[in-house]
Amino acid sequence: MKTAKTLLVLMVTLSIIVFAAGCSRNSQRVPAEDDRHSLKIYTTFYPIYDFTKKIVGDDVQVENLIPAGVEPHDFELSPKQAAKIYDGDIFIFLGESMEPWAKKMAQDLDKKGVTVIEAGKGLIENDDPHIWLDPVLAGKMAKNIYKGLVYVDEDHEPDYNKNITALTRKLDELDKSLSQIASGSMRKDIVTSHGFLGYVARRYGFNQMAITGLSPQEEPSTKKMAELIKFCTDKDIKYIFTEPGENSKLTETLARDTGAKILELNPLGTLRTDEIKAGEDYFSIMEKNLEALKTALGHKQ
Ligand SMILES: [Zn+2]
């Protein structure tokens, strides 16, 4: 009898785990029909914030934890900021490779009644967090956020559904544009400051060479710099991508040594306050990124 009961508990637990894959919920926190406006959501960095905001709409309070203009890789949350998350209803992060601190907090947050959504769950490969720059993976990331939101607040599923449909449509357009750029370009090789275009390169058939590693903090060795110079010379690289706010000494050195020009490409890890004030968002910045890609790849207009 006892074994049967244990088995039943186990089965119920398992089915809850399966159902809650990608997100978790504490049932006490489900908001009632009329208190949607009191929903408080915390997100970690810009693309997660922007997509969440686009799905929930203007009525819901969404706060981004990593400040505007701050590089999100290796960001350390202050204890005061970490404490704030416990006052929220939902906490959304990408995954361990981008926010290891968030992954550590997830279990405890869940225990304390905060729903945790891991937006990059099942999407991140080889510890490369930059899925948001690939429109196809970005769409799946948005879907993970959407599923978590509906799980907490199913009464507003029609609104969320309408919004994610619009978001997905725009991401599909971006995907088409990137395919067109890939098929209409003379070049296939790109050099980036840090390795943020790995997924994009793979999907659209580019060849990415990054000056630093997956994070801007990973400095290249002298051997790596020599390889980069050889790559740029062999492939006749005309443009090297730099990113806003970057200490671009290495990029400048490489450009000088190879005769390439420097072009800005925004990895969208963060937006500056002035960009946010000017109404920029994921899509307006991606538009500029696509123009930069066209130039660097010698796209036939
Ligand atoms: Zn990055």
Side-chain angles (χ1 to χ4, degrees):
M1 190 60 196
K2 206 179 165 207
T3 322
K5 204 172 160 193
T6 313
L7 199 67
L8 185 69
V9 170
L10 191 70
M11 277 168 68
V12 169
T13 312
L14 267 175
S15 65
I16 290 170
I17 291 170
V18 170
F19 185 56
C23 69
S24 51
R25 166 175 76 166
N26 182 312
S27 54
Q28 304 149 349
R29 299 298 286 250
V30 181
E33 174 69 37
D34 55 351
D35 73 355
R36 176 192 176 190
H37 302 279
S38 68
L39 254 192
K40 174 83 190 171
I41 303 174
Y42 284 101
T43 58
T44 50
F45 71 111
Y46 186 74
I48 306 277
Y49 167 81
D50 192 38
F51 281 18
T52 302
K53 197 80 195 144
K54 283 177 162 64
I55 299 168
V56 294
D58 291 334
D59 294 341
V60 180
Q61 234 187 314
V62 185
E63 190 179 325
N64 203 31
L65 289 161
I66 301 183
V70 173
E71 223 298 310
H73 288 280
D74 304 325
F75 177 84
E76 293 283 342
L77 206 64
S78 74
K80 208 174 142 195
Q81 275 185 309
K84 267 204 318 198
I85 306 173
Y86 286 87
D87 297 330
D89 301 290
I90 302 171
F91 171 62
I92 312 177
F93 75 113
L94 183 79
E96 197 171 12
S97 54
M98 194 64 178
E99 317 99 318
W101 53 270
K103 184 81 181 175
K104 272 185 218 140
M105 283 177 77
Q107 216 174 3
D108 193 50
L109 281 164
D110 180 50
K111 253 191 253 163
K112 304 274 163 58
V114 181
T115 296
V116 178
I117 301 173
E118 189 176 340
K121 200 174 175 103
L123 304 173
I124 294 167
E125 284 170 28
N126 306 318
D127 289 333
D128 179 358
H130 303 96
I131 52 169
W132 64 91
L133 289 159
D134 168 356
V136 178
L137 289 176
K140 292 181 179 173
M141 182 180 105
K143 202 74 192 251
N144 279 345
I145 298 173
Y146 163 79
K147 275 195 249 167
L149 292 167
V150 171
Y151 192 46
V152 177
D153 183 19
E154 60 187 346
D155 287 345
H156 295 92
E157 195 270 341
D159 292 335
Y160 299 159
N161 195 291
K162 196 179 91 213
N163 294 341
I164 196 172
T165 305
L167 175 59
T168 310
R169 200 174 303 133
K170 289 184 91 174
L171 288 167
D172 288 346
E173 281 166 23
L174 206 55
D175 172 41
K176 278 196 203 96
S177 302
L178 273 160
S179 297
Q180 277 163 7
I181 291 172
S183 61
S185 293
M186 283 147 56
R187 301 167 183 278
K188 291 283 170 215
D189 304 292
I190 43 181
V191 179
T192 57
S193 40
H194 81 282
F196 55 83
L197 283 183
Y199 292 104
V200 172
R202 231 170 304 157
R203 183 167 312 278
Y204 303 100
F206 303 138
N207 184 19
Q208 176 194 238
M209 198 53 169
I211 299 176
T212 65
L214 285 171
S215 144
Q217 280 83 4
E218 291 168 39
E219 294 253 322
S221 60
T222 333
K223 191 175 156 241
K224 175 80 189 288
M225 274 311 266
E227 275 171 26
L228 280 159
I229 292 172
K230 190 175 176 328
F231 181 85
C232 290
T233 317
D234 287 354
K235 306 283 183 188
D236 192 24
I237 295 289
K238 302 281 188 216
Y239 295 92
I240 295 169
F241 291 126
T242 184
E243 55 196 278
E246 179 204 15
N247 175 5
S248 55
K249 254 202 183 134
L250 291 164
T251 315
E252 278 162 22
T253 308
L254 187 62
R256 200 189 49 225
D257 291 356
T258 63
K261 291 195 186 83
I262 292 175
L263 205 57
E264 194 174 278
L265 200 89
N266 191 334
L268 276 156
T270 186
L271 284 198
R272 295 187 313 264
T273 317
D274 60 300
E275 289 171 320
I276 295 167
K277 275 198 189 130
E280 300 275 18
D281 74 340
Y282 175 88
F283 290 102
S284 68
I285 301 281
M286 278 308 258
E287 200 104 329
K288 291 176 192 166
N289 285 346
L290 258 49
E291 287 307 313
L293 266 173
K294 279 185 189 171
T295 305
L297 295 164
H299 181 75
K300 299 179 228 95
Q301 296 296 329

